[in-house]
Amino acid sequence: MKLRTILLAILVLGVMLLAQYTPPTTNPGPAAERIVGKSVPIAQAAAAVKAGDIDVYIFGMRASLAAPLKGDPALALYTAAAGFNDIILNPAPGKAPCENPFSDREIRFAMQFVIDRDYVANEIFKGFAVPMYIWLSQYDPTYSVVADIISQLGIKYDLDYARSVVERRMSALGATKGADGKWYCQGKPVTIIGLIRVEDERKDIGDAFASALEQLGFTVDRKYVTFDVAIQTIYGTDPAQFQWHFYTEGWGKGALDRWDTSSISQYCASWFGYMPGWGTTGWYNYANATIDQLTEKLYKGAFKSFQEYIETYRKATLLCLSESIRVFVNTNLNVYVASPQLKGVTVDLGAGLRASVYNARNWYVPGKDVVNVGHLWVWTASSAWNPVPQGGFTDVYSVDWFRMMYDPAMWNHPFTGEPMPFRATYTVETRGPDGAFDVPADAYRWDAKQKAWVSAAGAKAKSKVVFNYAKYTSSNWHHGQPIKLADVLFIYAFLWDIANDPAKVARESGVASYVNSTMSLIKGIRVVNDTAIEVYIDYWHFDPNYIAAQAVLTPDMPWEVYYAVDQLVYVKETYAASRSSATKYNVPWLSLILKDHAKAAADVLQEAADQGAFPESWFKIGNKILLTKDEALARYKAAVDWFNKYGHMVISQGPFYLYAIDTAKQYIELRAYRDPTYPYKPGAFYFGVATSVSVKAIDVPTLAVGQSGTVSVSLEVPQGAGKIYYRWGIIDPTTGKFVYISDEASATTTPISITVPADVMSKLTVNKPYKFWLYAYAENVPVVAEATQVFVPKTAAPSPSPTAPPPTQPTTPSPSPTAPPPSPTAPGATATTVTTVAPATGTTEALAAGVVGILAVLAALAFALRRKGGGGEETKTR
């Protein structure tokens, strides 16, 4: 990536730290009394802010609209790499091999060379985007793990190379090319149906991709669609029906993640539920057994060291690229427009201003009791509000509003991506990757067959986490009932049940696969007291906070709402939790903000109240009774009364409650939750705006073959950034491969002086251009700045000394792209204990040959192998 592109991206990111927050009130709850949300078209957002109609717009502005706004004193602009775009390909096999070109892996990989990512970033997005090649960009902390791989793969826009692959493979698949230059399969044109979103820049991306496919000889049926049609067609139909062949996906990030395990699973692995087929039983489902095995190893913490995590991540990344189910295009530098009067803004480097648990609680405009919030949509027909994982809250239009209404137990820091306590505190103990605790007899797990809690004695677990939920249990739900540990344990049981009850698994197979990936790790739960539980989890991570994040559960809705959902989806089977099951069984997709759906839930609870029904076994753990029948009946009444008053069944425990939503009018109103027991006041979890490291210049002097030399790197480093970590290498542009790549090193001052050893320079050819490559990031804002500088080595001058000066950098090159560098900051793999008491404050052929060589290593690997509480949640489609 060129230095000028990186510098533009960093400059757009933001270069200031907001002034100290001054809360408008010291009352429990949020800063503002109300949040009023409405649908505002993107083109009208800036004008709406200027007119005072809205105070902030939380959907990213189109680049063509954002660029003219810079410097306008009537607006405040906030930028974050909070979304990205890709093109998903349908790999389902057709009746004839040549019917669907994307069923062929080599053709899919050739599509990586069809997209002109620089054009997309600089022309379509007017510089408000950067190219991306996987699910991460340099704005994601984990990108440093694979930055060198991405650099040397040499993926670039090269239609001629893509054409050569298509010509070879289509002929091999039995297709013929007509006199018109078009491909035919069994006498019929090879037609590719492209679903192209029209609301934003994805229309231009889709058109560019479709035009390239036409140049390759395919017939393209361009279907221009909006959100509702696209979501239902792509994610709600069997890929083997071929209602689509490619789709312009868009994603909004949920939160920054320091050490990714979920995104790589989401975009590459079948078990996570986001690959074509979506895990729905009876449909075609894409799967790669080796990718599944590698990503499950990452997700389930089955690595034994930091180094093994790195190696596994790199292998999975390369294999996912070789499969190319998704062709990643660009990371959006989303611009959010707001009034300069809006106070309390925290810019999450992963989510921006949307999908935030930080912002709404601290937003206010002096002199006003309301913050008016604009979004592209308040609601769509593909927005389902239900608490079933992978069932509801799968799009930005539901997620963005709901995150204003609940407090997670844990969340990720907005600048580092590190998991941290939010409303629950915790202590982690681990026996390391090879050790294990004996789960005690007074620890229990839910048995889906017996519908009871049973002793977990005899089980083994690598770690245990004590969670203290006192900041929940000392407060009330929005409907006035006290939050109890029973709410937490009921949800654990609910998740175990839907992942293990055969009838429930069959009903919602995609949900079950996803939920089981986590719940299978939890071996038992011991009730410590009225506020704390001890969770035994067969999971290890080099960062103990990730162990807690894997074990934690957030009581986002009271148990009785979960009970009603269970009855509607799994017992009565009158609703579906997920979009795909709703389509498959022809029943409504449950959404608790829709009045008729909410009434059905209320009716379940009213019926339970009338019959005195009480799911007692769900609350009996050993000799402990977590909830009485009288308490259950009081819950039923409170929830039904809530529905009668507000017309929905979204009940939670955060700074705002849902006062009203009108889906037809695209209107939503949240009101401050001022219960005196609510634990937080304005100012809690305010962080402001961070600045990342940027590369100012790489000064490569005249370097001579066979002689050492020094390269100086100038960086822009923000105050409080901490240590600077960096890695450098030399790339041969003709092959795309590294001649040399260093280990990661650190520095505390700049500029950084890098010695290129004589033995490295001996590998170079006189008068041949090379690229000096570097990445750098800060300890406290681990956004990667990546840059290259071309240099041409000269003939060495005679030297009086035959001995080269000793190198100041590590001189052992990585033996292959799959061999990762050690990190000087890698946490140890030994047993550890950490206690957290309180939340934190504030030429293409040559390049392709190199790729094939890398992929050959992974092919051998594949043959040999022959398979939510935290802030690192999956990102959401939009």
Side-chain angles (χ1 to χ4, degrees), residues 74-345:
L75 298 170
L77 302 183
Y78 301 96
T79 307
F84 58 89
N85 299 312
D86 71 83
I87 295 173
I88 187 170
L89 307 176
N90 183 349
K95 295 178 181 179
C98 54
E99 185 177 345
N100 177 22
F102 298 147
S103 66
D104 184 80
R105 183 188 65 81
E106 291 188 58
I107 291 178
R108 292 198 305 271
F109 184 72
M111 295 303 102
Q112 298 283 356
F113 298 83
V114 166
I115 296 292
D116 189 343
R117 294 171 175 84
D118 288 326
Y119 174 81
V120 171
N122 296 318
E123 299 301 326
I124 294 179
F125 280 89
K126 310 300 180 186
F128 285 89
V130 294
M132 71 185 305
Y133 304 89
I134 61 171
W135 48 95
L136 306 176
S137 74
Q138 65 263 34
Y139 295 100
D140 296 286
T142 312
Y143 182 77
S144 63
V145 170
V146 293
D148 62 308
I149 293 178
I150 304 307
S151 181
Q152 72 173 308
L153 280 176
I155 295 173
K156 65 176 183 177
Y157 175 60
D158 193 332
L159 201 58
D160 289 337
Y161 172 71
R163 182 179 289 107
S164 70
V165 175
V166 169
E167 296 276 349
R168 174 171 54 82
R169 292 304 303 157
M170 287 299 289
S171 296
L173 294 172
T176 58
K177 210 168 191 182
D180 57 359
K182 296 292 186 180
W183 288 105
Y184 289 83
C185 181
Q186 298 184 340
K188 297 180 180 179
V190 177
T191 302
I192 294 175
I193 300 173
L195 266 66
I196 302 172
R197 288 287 291 278
V198 298
E199 298 95 329
D200 52 35
E201 289 87 352
R202 282 177 288 170
K203 180 181 183 299
D204 299 322
I205 294 172
D207 278 335
F209 186 66
S211 296
L213 293 176
E214 289 168 342
Q215 293 181 62
L216 296 177
F218 298 116
T219 300
V220 181
D221 180 4
R222 307 185 196 203
K223 295 186 181 297
Y224 298 103
V225 294
T226 55
F227 178 84
D228 294 344
V229 175
I231 298 302
Q232 178 56 39
T233 304
I234 302 300
Y235 309 109
T237 66
D238 184 347
Q241 294 177 356
F242 292 113
Q243 295 189 36
W244 63 281
H245 291 86
F246 78 82
Y247 169 56
T248 52
E249 283 186 316
W251 302 89
K253 293 183 182 179
L256 206 63
D257 193 2
R258 182 63 187 95
W259 302 111
D260 173 53
T261 60
S262 59
S263 288
I264 190 172
S265 302
Q266 176 173 349
Y267 300 113
C268 301
S270 64
W271 61 265
F272 205 90
Y274 272 85
M275 302 303 285
W278 328 116
T280 303
T281 302
W283 289 5
Y284 163 82
N285 277 276
Y286 163 83
N288 180 289
T290 308
I291 292 177
D292 283 353
Q293 183 175 7
L294 291 170
T295 52
E296 279 199 310
K297 180 178 180 179
L298 291 168
Y299 192 82
K300 294 183 177 181
F303 42 82
K304 294 186 177 182
S305 66
F306 178 78
Q307 192 73 8
E308 188 176 349
Y309 162 83
I310 298 293
E311 292 170 355
T312 305
Y313 199 98
R314 289 164 69 89
K315 290 173 183 176
T317 295
L318 276 168
L319 193 54
C320 185
L321 264 172
S322 75
E323 287 291 297
S324 289
I325 301 299
R326 287 182 167 92
V327 179
F328 293 88
V329 180
N330 63 281
T331 288
N332 306 333
L333 301 175
N334 287 345
V335 178
Y336 303 92
V337 60
S339 165
Q341 301 302 312
L342 182 68
K343 309 299 181 183
V345 176

Side-chain angles (χ1 to χ4, degrees), residues 504-515:
K504 293 184 176 182
V505 172
R507 187 69 181 179
E508 291 281 358
S509 55
V511 166
S513 175
Y514 172 75
V515 172

